[in-house]
Amino acid sequence: MPNHKSAMKRVRQNEKRNARNRHVMSTLRSRIKQVRTAIDAGDAEAAKNALPVAVRALTRAAGKGVIHRNQARRKIGRLTIAVNGLG
């Protein structure tokens, strides 16, 4: 347990950020999984509808600093290529 006032504040900040990051990552994984499931099922229409939602979630996560912007771009590119390959 921290003894300094600034260290106590840092612990509180870290807990708050950790909770936010966990929520963002969980949502992000769900959105990506929806696209991947549609691709695996061969459902081009569902994949095309789920892709913009996943892209928005990836962009938002990168903007908040939860994931690196290059990782977001890489995932967006790969998902887009996979969806375009269906139709």
Side-chain angles (χ1 to χ4, degrees):
M1 213 43 214
N3 294 321
H4 295 283
K5 195 170 186 179
S6 60
M8 291 177 190
K9 180 178 179 181
R10 180 62 61 191
V11 168
R12 289 194 308 270
Q13 288 174 330
N14 287 339
E15 287 173 354
K16 189 182 292 186
R17 288 182 183 136
N18 184 265
R20 183 198 69 186
N21 290 346
R22 263 192 325 227
H23 172 71
V24 171
M25 282 304 292
S26 175
T27 306
L28 181 61
R29 284 191 202 103
S30 297
R31 302 290 184 244
I32 292 171
K33 193 179 289 184
Q34 287 172 352
V35 178
R36 287 278 174 212
T37 304
I39 291 168
D40 291 341
D43 190 355
E45 191 64 34
K48 284 183 178 168
N49 290 337
L51 181 64
V53 178
V55 168
R56 201 172 311 121
L58 281 159
T59 306
R60 187 169 291 172
K64 289 176 185 263
V66 177
I67 61 172
H68 196 273
R69 66 179 190 272
N70 290 351
Q71 182 185 7
R73 290 172 184 167
R74 185 175 65 243
K75 286 184 181 289
I76 289 169
R78 288 177 181 173
L79 284 173
T80 305
I81 288 170
V83 169
N84 290 342
L86 286 176

